[in-house]
Amino acid sequence: MYVCSCFGITDKQVKEHAAAGACTPRQIASVTKAGTDCGSCVRTIQGLLGRGACPRRELLEKGRTAADALAADTATSEKELAGAA
């Protein structure tokens, strides 16, 4: 099912990014752009993310900041995209 019609992002993609550590709609937006155009999908994304445990919190407890973790995830995503091209 499409969550973001503006950018063609599916619920499966949101769930994959959530499993990889994206805990907020803003973090989902940073890797998919979902929620950055008309914004109508933000509540749906919030619902998909739920209120479960956030893997980033585990990183914070180990001394890494959320910004460090997000930067690492973004770099990995960019490498994956570059490899697919």
Side-chain angles (χ1 to χ4, degrees):
M1 161 184 91
Y2 282 99
V3 171
C4 176
S5 299
C6 298
F7 295 103
I9 305 302
T10 65
D11 59 334
K12 181 180 177 188
Q13 290 171 297
V14 171
K15 290 175 185 177
E16 288 172 354
H17 288 295
C23 301
T24 66
R26 183 170 286 173
Q27 290 171 339
I28 295 293
S30 72
V31 292
T32 66
K33 295 185 182 179
T36 62
D37 194 28
C38 77
S40 66
C41 60
V42 174
R43 291 202 181 243
T44 303
I45 293 169
Q46 287 173 328
L48 289 170
L49 295 175
R51 298 193 181 268
C54 179
R56 297 219 186 279
R57 289 188 190 116
E58 294 171 14
L59 294 173
L60 290 172
E61 290 171 2
K62 292 178 183 176
R64 288 182 64 191
T65 67
D68 293 340
L70 184 57
D73 288 349
T74 303
T76 300
S77 296
E78 289 172 357
K79 287 179 186 176
E80 290 171 355
L81 288 173

